[in-house]
Amino acid sequence: MPKRILSGRVTSDKMDKTITVLVDRRIMHPLYKKFIRRSKKYAAHDELNVCKIGDAVRIEECTPISKRKTWTVISRNGEVVGGAASGNAA
């Protein structure tokens, strides 16, 4: 099964090697057929502490790193993050 990849914005970088990413998605209301926004925050692993608040990042599912952290950063502002590049060499 392929790993899910989500895109979002960094809302917090206060933790060591961890960022909080806000992921927005649009869904259609079942009755009124109007598009509404739903958002969720994910804790993601940032090995090199390069992500700052406001950055656009892509995160990928991984094995659990801690109780809340099961995502890792794969790119920041369109460029590949150094820690993720070594894991994707196939």
Side-chain angles (χ1 to χ4, degrees), residues 22-27 29-30 35-40:
L22 181 72
V23 175
D24 276 329
R25 61 189 178 95
R26 291 176 48 207
I27 62 165
H29 192 280
F35 282 100
I36 52 179
R37 289 188 333 163
R38 292 285 182 240
S39 60
K40 187 173 178 181

Side-chain angles (χ1 to χ4, degrees), residues 16-77:
D16 185 33
K17 297 187 179 184
T18 303
I19 58 171
T20 303
V21 180
L22 181 72
V23 175
D24 276 329
R25 61 189 178 95
R26 291 176 48 207
I27 62 165
M28 186 183 287
H29 192 280
L31 178 62
Y32 300 116
K33 308 302 183 198
K34 181 178 179 177
F35 282 100
I36 52 179
R37 289 188 333 163
R38 292 285 182 240
S39 60
K40 187 173 178 181
K41 288 184 179 180
Y42 295 93
H45 186 65
D46 178 19
E47 181 66 35
L48 304 175
N49 283 325
V50 293
C51 297
K52 301 297 175 203
I53 294 177
D55 286 347
V57 295
R58 293 179 68 213
I59 57 176
E60 179 182 48
E61 260 185 327
C62 65
T63 58
I65 298 168
S66 68
K67 180 180 177 180
R68 295 182 51 234
K69 199 161 56 165
T70 58
W71 297 84
T72 184
V73 177
I74 56 173
S75 69
R76 170 185 163 254
N77 293 333

Side-chain angles (χ1 to χ4, degrees), residues 1-21:
M1 185 171 189
K3 296 180 180 180
R4 290 186 297 163
I5 296 177
L6 300 175
S7 300
R9 292 243 169 237
V10 177
T11 58
S12 173
D13 64 347
K14 295 180 192 309
M15 298 168 276
D16 185 33
K17 297 187 179 184
T18 303
I19 58 171
T20 303
V21 180

